[in-house]
Amino acid sequence: MWFWIIIAALLFVLLLVVEEFFYYFWNRYVYGPNIKGERRWLSRLVLGTIVLIKRLFHRREKELPKTKSDKGLPL
């Protein structure tokens, strides 16, 4: 029973994806490409990717605990 429910849900999701795909490309065919919008999304994608890479590979500095013994050795 669960098998058929999962198959029906996957087919429904596939139908939605295909329908949106045709809708998007039909609008591109009828109205032409949206150059301004594409540049905006491309710049957001590139900048977002750069920020994500920086956050993943950023070296975090270790914070040393501040205690009374960290004042140094007396001379």
Side-chain angles (χ1 to χ4, degrees):
M1 182 69 183
W2 284 105
F3 176 75
W4 292 111
I5 294 172
I6 293 171
I7 294 296
L10 289 175
L11 286 174
F12 182 72
V13 169
L14 181 65
L15 179 68
L16 287 176
V17 170
V18 169
E19 187 254 339
E20 289 296 326
F21 175 79
F22 282 121
Y23 177 77
Y24 174 76
F25 282 104
W26 176 254
N27 279 339
R28 298 237 341 170
Y29 175 73
V30 172
Y31 299 113
N34 186 359
I35 302 297
K36 194 175 190 180
E38 285 181 6
R39 288 183 188 156
R40 183 175 61 232
W41 281 107
L42 182 62
S43 67
R44 285 182 186 172
L45 180 66
V46 170
L47 290 175
T49 306
I50 291 171
V51 168
L52 181 65
I53 289 172
K54 283 184 178 180
R55 286 186 181 176
L56 286 175
F57 295 107
H58 177 71
R59 288 188 178 191
R60 294 190 177 105
E61 297 179 7
K62 293 182 180 177
E63 292 185 22
L64 298 175
K66 295 182 180 179
T67 61
K68 292 181 181 179
S69 63
D70 288 342
K71 292 181 181 178
L73 298 173
L75 294 174

